Amino acid sequence: MSSAYARLTHTFLRLSRFGHLSAIAGWDMQTMMPAGGSRARGEALAELSVLRHEILTAPQVGEWLQQAQQEELDDVERADLHEMQRSWQQASLLPASLVEAKALAGSRCEHAWRQQRPANDWQGFAANLQEVVKLSREEAEIRAQANGCSRYDALLDLYEPGMTSAMLDRTFGDLKQWLPDLLQRVVDKQATEQVQRPDGPFPQAAQQQLGLAVMKLLGFDFNAGRLDISAHPFCGGVPEDVRITTRYNEAEFISAMMGVIHETGHARYEQNLPKQWAGRPVALARSTAIHESQSLFFEKQLGRNPAFLSLVQPLAVQLLGDQPALAADNFIALNQRVKPGLIRVDADEVSYPAHVILRYEIERALVAGEIEVEDIPALWQEKMQALLGLDTTGDFRNGCMQDIHWTDGAFGYFPTYTLGAMYAAQLFQALQRALPQVNEMIRQGELQPVFDWLQQNIWQHGSRFSTRQLIENATGEDLNPAHFRKHLEQRYL
């Protein structure tokens, strides 16, 4: 007679394997699949999500969870059981019909967005988005009733367990107090500095080679992953087979290069999750903000660090051709340019949080039913003007249609980007305390001590600890946004 916990482990291993298939089919949908396959693939993925939902919410799973509470388990098994309980509770709240409807509406909206965005077709996009929002509100209402919280907090908790909009409002409210002034001071300072723009075009094949060279420098395991092209950069797949993507613009190379560095941060985390617990919830990444902290650690703390850029610069010259704009000092200045722009994924690290706050404020009101889909463009324009001084009137493609997240109802995701940037700054400061010579090591190409520190403090723990405990163990304190402000001031002022 096997224990209840052993039965649960077997059930979650099955779910993990179906999740593997779903992840790879989803990656293929966004990279390789011909447009005509969209409907059939969307239906197949929806079927798979219903199957996983049925396995997870079967009556005996609830019984095993209760029985396993009484069994003799070690610390890791207890943490695993906690994550199983959480998954089961979240899934049990939703009827299978809603899970299926949401998956179908999301895949329809996302696939159409790929043509609608380049065409600036807001009307076409809005029609699909309305269905996604309607179903997301249904889900949010069910979760809010069960958890005794607001609709938005119920969705936020799926990505960032324990986080609430009240906590975000405090953190983001503080950020809005000092960020505009800091941004202006940096822009004024850089206005007096001469930076030469590189002369393109930069062929896609050469940019791809540069991306692969940087991934190698960052320790990406090519035996367990690959780089491809998609409409929006992402990291997908599974720890044993991580798929990252970027998009290319032959007029400039920095956005694709930084996109690759960002996604490599996600990938290194996935590739280094605890293999001895594979297939169990405790082996999964801790939370979305912790995942973003790893990608932003790579992109911002490392990727835009002069010591690291001094390693990338010769590679850029070798693969893109020698020109004055790629000289060492100018190359570093190019990658530390601060200029408010319309596109979030291309934003510098000083203006980036403004993009996140804008989306957070809109999606929270949308989920709550305070605004409707047709109100988004005007609100977007108003907030873009207030936060970044930019105009997006009529430019839906570079305004409210630029991201992929809302197409499949990922409401509650955006705040994790700025939380991740704050965690990344805090982690890098802790790393500097542990290794005072770290910048010199990076300059010498000795990156392994950095990866070893992340492995020891973040990667190897999976979901064993709560986000708060994980960060306290690594840095000695809970989230402290002061580290983020200090980082921006030191680098840019």
Side-chain angles (χ1 to χ4, degrees):
M1 176 72 177
S2 65
S3 70
Y5 177 69
R7 290 173 183 177
L8 287 167
T9 304
H10 174 68
T11 301
F12 277 85
L13 183 60
R14 286 187 70 207
L15 288 168
S16 169
R17 287 168 178 164
F18 284 127
H20 181 150
L21 296 177
S22 180
I24 299 300
W27 164 84
D28 176 75
M29 192 177 192
Q30 294 192 46
T31 53
M32 303 288 178
M33 188 190 74
S38 170
R39 185 172 166 193
R41 180 65 56 85
E43 288 169 353
L45 283 168
E47 191 69 49
L48 201 46
S49 60
V50 170
L51 175 64
R52 290 168 71 198
H53 184 265
E54 285 170 350
I55 292 170
L56 182 52
T57 58
Q60 67 266 31
V61 174
E63 291 164 19
W64 294 337
L65 284 164
Q66 278 187 314
Q67 289 162 15
Q69 294 290 356
Q70 313 308 316
E71 292 175 354
E72 290 270 324
L73 303 175
D74 65 25
D75 287 356
V76 173
E77 290 166 340
R78 281 266 160 233
D80 196 28
L81 185 60
H82 177 268
E83 294 302 308
M84 290 173 175
Q85 181 84 29
R86 181 177 153 78
S87 298
W88 175 78
Q89 278 170 333
Q90 285 173 339
S92 299
L93 293 174
L94 302 186
S97 57
L98 180 56
V99 172
E100 182 179 32
K102 235 192 127 204
L104 287 169
S107 100
R108 245 194 326 271
C109 188
E110 189 274 325
H111 189 74
W113 166 83
R114 289 186 231 172
Q115 276 70 50
Q116 289 161 347
R117 184 184 174 219
N120 202 40
D121 176 12
W122 166 254
Q123 291 307 322
F125 177 67
N128 287 330
L129 186 61
Q130 275 161 346
E131 181 62 17
V132 172
V133 169
K134 179 172 97 59
L135 295 167
S136 296
R137 284 174 176 169
E138 273 181 44
E139 176 186 357
E141 184 57 35
I142 291 168
R143 294 191 183 287
Q145 292 282 350
N147 298 326
C149 63
S150 74
R151 279 187 193 171
Y152 187 76
D153 281 1
L155 297 184
L156 177 62
D157 189 68
L158 296 174
Y159 300 98
E160 204 49 34
M163 184 55 66
T164 66
S165 48
M167 290 154 77
L168 284 177
D169 288 344
R170 279 197 300 279
T171 304
F172 290 175
D174 174 57
L175 199 56
K176 281 169 84 172
Q177 295 293 311
W178 57 262
L179 191 68
D181 175 60
L182 175 66
L183 180 57
Q184 193 55 54
R185 282 161 64 204
V186 175
V187 169
D188 292 347
K189 175 177 181 279
Q190 292 194 351
T192 65
E193 300 162 0
Q194 288 300 309
V195 176
Q196 203 165 345
R197 307 303 307 180
D199 286 326
F202 301 99
Q204 185 173 305
Q207 291 195 51
Q208 210 154 9
Q209 288 307 307
L210 177 61
L212 291 166
V214 174
M215 287 165 72
K216 188 178 175 191
L217 194 59
L218 290 169
F220 183 89
D221 179 3
F222 288 95
N223 192 43
R226 50 181 289 143
L227 171 68
D228 291 282
I229 302 167
S230 66
H232 192 96
F234 71 92
C235 174
V238 292
E240 302 82 359
D241 181 6
V242 179
R243 306 297 176 94
I244 73 171
T245 70
T246 194
R247 57 185 176 206
Y248 299 98
N249 170 4
E250 296 203 335
E252 60 87 30
F253 68 90
I254 288 175
S255 59
M257 181 182 82
M258 283 298 166
V260 167
I261 293 173
H262 179 97
E263 301 307 338
T264 301
H266 282 306
R268 291 291 326 261
Y269 185 23
E270 286 290 319
Q271 289 180 336
N272 288 280
L273 286 167
K275 292 180 177 55
Q276 72 274 27
W277 308 332
R280 294 153 66 181
V282 74
L284 298 173
R286 173 58 278 172
S287 71
T288 315
I290 294 298
H291 229 309
E292 290 305 333
S293 80
Q294 299 311 288
S295 58
L296 292 166
F297 186 101
F298 272 57
E299 183 195 351
K300 311 295 189 192
Q301 302 298 323
L302 262 186
R304 295 187 194 272
N305 185 324
F308 181 76
L309 288 167
S310 70
L311 301 176
V312 177
Q313 182 262 344
L315 297 171
V317 170
Q318 181 194 334
L319 293 161
L320 303 176
D322 201 358
Q323 56 169 286
L326 298 187
D329 288 351
N330 198 74
F331 184 75
I332 289 168
L334 273 174
N335 281 284
Q336 293 192 347
R337 241 13 222 164
V338 172
K339 186 178 183 229
L342 298 175
I343 305 296
R344 175 186 62 84
V345 296
D346 297 341
D348 59 83
E349 61 180 328
V350 186
S351 59
Y352 193 101
H355 288 270
V356 171
I357 291 169
L358 174 149
R359 287 156 174 77
Y360 162 61
E361 290 178 351
I362 291 176
E363 69 176 17
R364 190 183 56 181
L366 191 63
V367 168
E370 293 160 12
I371 61 167
E372 295 302 330
V373 168
E374 56 266 29
D375 301 320
I376 293 174
L379 264 174
W380 192 282
Q381 159 59 14
E382 180 191 308
K383 290 178 185 294
M384 201 41 117
Q385 193 69 56
L387 290 163
L388 291 168
L390 298 172
D391 187 3
T392 56
T393 312
D395 185 2
F396 309 112
R397 188 166 65 99
N398 294 311
C400 53
M401 283 176 71
Q402 66 180 271
D403 295 300
I404 202 169
H405 306 61
W406 288 347
T407 62
D408 66 352
F411 298 105
Y413 191 118
F414 278 117
T416 65
Y417 284 114
T418 288
L419 292 172
M422 290 173 171
Y423 285 131
Q426 189 166 327
L427 288 167
F428 199 81
Q429 303 241 337
L431 169 66
Q432 285 178 305
R433 287 197 301 275
L435 298 171
Q437 304 303 313
V438 69
N439 285 313
E440 193 45 46
M441 290 168 149
I442 294 167
R443 201 179 309 281
Q444 300 298 327
E446 293 174 33
L447 294 171
Q448 196 54 46
V450 176
F451 306 143
D452 289 345
W453 189 89
L454 289 170
Q455 169 70 19
Q456 190 185 336
N457 287 284
I458 302 294
W459 299 345
Q460 69 165 333
H461 300 299
S463 283
R464 183 176 181 179
F465 305 113
S466 68
T467 301
R468 183 174 190 164
Q469 191 64 57
L470 186 69
I471 289 296
E472 280 183 0
N473 291 350
T475 70
E477 58 181 327
D478 192 10
L479 175 63
N480 179 356
H483 294 291
F484 181 59
R485 182 177 184 174
K486 182 182 170 190
H487 159 69
L488 294 180
E489 289 173 347
Q490 283 181 338
R491 180 172 285 176
Y492 295 98
L493 293 175

